[in-house]
Amino acid sequence: MECTARNMEKPDPTALTDLVRQAQAGNMSAQNELIVAYQARLAGFVYAMLGRSAPVDDLCQDVLIKMLRGLPRLLEPSLFEPWFFRLARNACIDHTRRERWRRMFVFFDPATDDPPVFVDTEKRDRVEALLALLQRLSARDRTLLLMAQEGLSLAEMARATGTTTTTIKTRLHRARERLRELYEKRT
Amino acid sequence: MKNEPDLSELWPAIREGGTAALRPNLAARVFARMAAAREELTTQTTILVGLGTAMACLMLTLALNLWSERRARDEALDQWNVLATENATLEQESSL
């Protein structure tokens, strides 16, 4: 799966709102376009949230299905992005919870090898080191850092997490501090 | 040397890694799964309706059993009371 410029950048808000409205109306072509527009960003977000590549595809499918099913209930198409990343965040948290339960009951679970995703070993090492640090943060801190990387504004993050802009600002600052502390302890 | 990890610098690489983990034709697979899920929902609904009906029948049977036993007990109690009254009357008459 290639990353293309089209699906890596944040879409134009007006065009996005139109696209979401068409998708809500049941236009399959618009729904397809919406999936293509967000699949790379979603995959990156899920990969960073979970720290592993193996569950990325299945979880992305789950999120996209929830998105398509939930679209008719989205009252404001302009708020699509925070709503979408909220779905993604919840799916990742649910997945982590299920994995924890599963590991409690499956004693002899052979380690699942993540498929290799990088050819460049230096890049792979740096990314894996960063992902390992992110995993040591709480899900809440990780979510905020990743949503900020995805270009969501403070207001959008507040909407996605059900809090206020002031709270998000404080939490985001603290999350960055914690990441920095973890990095310093590691080095 | 940097004193913090540069998430912004590595973010494109993280996205690349996530995207590389996706199998081809994600959109098509999503639509296919949604179509399959609609059939699955019908099967699930059928199973739930079946189980619900079975539970309702079981509850009705238990309720009927209980009512039947109570009725039999009440009838027996009434008969016993009648016999007891008759017995008491006979004893009174014989003592006179």
Side-chain angles (χ1 to χ4, degrees), chain B residues 11-57:
Chain B
W11 191 246
I14 290 173
R15 261 206 204 157
E16 189 190 314
T19 310
L22 293 176
R23 295 191 292 276
N25 299 320
L26 178 61
R29 288 185 288 117
V30 165
F31 289 125
R33 248 183 80 179
M34 281 183 73
R38 274 191 286 271
E39 287 173 17
E40 206 178 280
L41 200 62
T42 311
T43 309
Q44 276 179 8
T45 309
T46 307
I47 290 170
L48 280 171
V49 167
L51 281 173
T53 308
M55 281 295 293
C57 288

Side-chain angles (χ1 to χ4, degrees), chain A residues 29-70:
Chain A
S29 171
Q31 290 175 357
N32 188 73
E33 206 177 314
L34 205 53
I35 291 173
V36 170
Y38 276 88
Q39 61 188 14
R41 293 174 68 193
L42 174 62
F45 181 85
V46 170
Y47 181 42
M49 278 294 287
L50 301 181
R52 294 180 52 218
S53 58
V56 168
D57 188 88
D58 283 342
L59 215 49
C60 285
Q61 281 189 57
D62 290 347
V63 173
L64 290 168
I65 287 172
K66 281 179 186 161
M67 177 200 79
L68 291 176
R69 286 197 178 134

Side-chain angles (χ1 to χ4, degrees), chain A residues 3 43-44 46 62 101 121 136 141 149 179 186:
Chain A
C3 300
V46 170
D62 290 347
W101 273 106
T121 50
R136 291 174 63 186
D141 286 350
Q149 288 306 310
L179 186 62
R186 186 187 74 100

Side-chain angles (χ1 to χ4, degrees), chain A residues 12-173:
Chain A
D12 169 66
T14 315
L16 177 61
T17 305
D18 286 340
L19 187 62
V20 170
R21 282 207 178 99
Q22 286 175 46
Q24 283 179 314
N27 184 328
M28 294 273 294
S29 171
Q31 290 175 357
N32 188 73
E33 206 177 314
L34 205 53
I35 291 173
V36 170
Y38 276 88
Q39 61 188 14
R41 293 174 68 193
L42 174 62
F45 181 85
V46 170
Y47 181 42
M49 278 294 287
L50 301 181
R52 294 180 52 218
S53 58
V56 168
D57 188 88
D58 283 342
L59 215 49
C60 285
Q61 281 189 57
D62 290 347
V63 173
L64 290 168
I65 287 172
K66 281 179 186 161
M67 177 200 79
L68 291 176
R69 286 197 178 134
L71 266 179
R73 291 191 296 275
L74 178 63
L75 298 175
E76 293 183 48
S78 58
L79 297 175
F80 172 78
E81 208 151 278
W83 172 78
F84 179 70
F85 280 103
R86 185 182 190 140
L87 287 180
R89 177 199 77 156
N90 291 346
C92 291
I93 289 171
D94 288 345
H95 172 85
T96 306
R97 208 172 278 147
R98 276 197 305 271
E99 279 296 297
R100 209 174 284 145
W101 273 106
R102 198 183 61 82
R103 276 197 293 270
M104 278 171 65
F105 293 105
V106 180
F107 298 111
F108 300 105
D109 185 23
T112 310
D113 289 326
D114 277 351
V117 295
F118 294 104
V119 175
D120 182 346
T121 50
E122 198 230 325
K123 192 191 280 185
R124 183 199 64 202
D125 291 344
R126 291 179 68 203
V127 166
E128 286 179 357
L130 180 57
L131 292 179
L133 286 181
L134 285 171
Q135 288 305 300
R136 291 174 63 186
L137 294 174
S138 67
R140 189 180 78 180
D141 286 350
R142 205 158 56 241
T143 303
L144 293 180
L145 288 172
L146 301 183
M147 282 185 178
Q149 288 306 310
E150 280 300 333
L152 269 71
S153 65
L154 291 177
E156 286 174 329
M157 282 195 272
R159 194 163 268 275
T161 54
T163 54
T164 63
T165 316
T166 315
T167 306
I168 289 295
K169 209 171 169 179
T170 310
R171 286 181 184 171
L172 189 55
H173 172 75

